[in-house]
Amino acid sequence: MSFSEYQLLSVLAQEMNMRKAAERLFVSQPALSQRLQTIEKEWQTKLFIRSQKGLSLTPAGESVVKFANEVIEKREKVKEEIQAMDSKVYGTLRIACASIVGQNWLPKVLKEFVRKYPHAKISLVTGWSSEILKALYDDHVHIGIVRGHSDWKGVKKHLFNDGLFLVDTEMNKLEQVIETDRPFIQFKSDSSYYQEIQDWWLRQFHTAPKRTIVVDQIETCKQMAFNGIGYAILPAITIQDTEKSIYKIPLLDEQDHPIERDTWLLGYEAAFELKQVQAFVELVQDFLPQ
């Protein structure tokens, strides 16, 4: 099999749809179908089952696609090793980043990275910090950017911390939370963040909120609070430069110190030897609080 055929199988397995896969591969559907038939003839077995709903992998197909993905990943790593010998920054920078950071801080860093290193590529996935750590452990990414405490044993660089605030369009004092009938809007997050909020709430009010609304995304939570539907607890990184009509009440611990969330950059030693990773880490310094 040629490398392009490995890519073909990988894209088909990702899309599970001939039309979408053909669009990504810049070929016609008949041409894609013909190439798949040739590959299946070479393996002497069906790799995909076609139906009106799309494609599904056969057991043999799962094995072959896994092999194809391993070849693609190995080729990418070899390319990176070769390009690291050059003085220019090449290769793909693979980052897994906590969603909050990926939405609010990372874009401006990546914008400058793309401008400064036009030969480099970027692969970015976002999710909860627990998912970021798994991507690191599985060696799917070079760098992980996580929130909160982690027991990572490799390279660990502190980026910044930001406080937590109760935000609302009406209330400007914590005592008013007990009196209001408006809902507390929460967003789904990793367990450590959720537990931190729960512990603070119970220390402060000794009772559960009267009404709650739970949403999937922090941006949804933020927009609902900003539009006066209820109040929310949000990290400072999401409410910087917001309009003055929003009240922001800082959360304090038992010693009246601000409750803050740390953001960390993690990775293995070997990854930090790559030029594109070194370039990113150096660039990040320009975007950290002084």
Side-chain angles (χ1 to χ4, degrees), residues 185-188 213-218 220-222 224:
I185 305 169
Q186 297 176 280
F187 61 93
K188 293 181 181 179
I213 297 175
V214 180
V215 297
D216 287 337
Q217 302 291 333
I218 188 171
T220 305
C221 175
K222 172 183 170 181
M224 290 178 71

Side-chain angles (χ1 to χ4, degrees), residues 36 97 116 165 168 171 215 217 227 230 239 263 268:
L36 178 57
C97 182
K116 197 170 182 179
F165 291 81
D168 190 41
M171 297 184 296
V215 297
Q217 302 291 333
N227 282 279
I239 53 176
T263 299
Y268 288 111

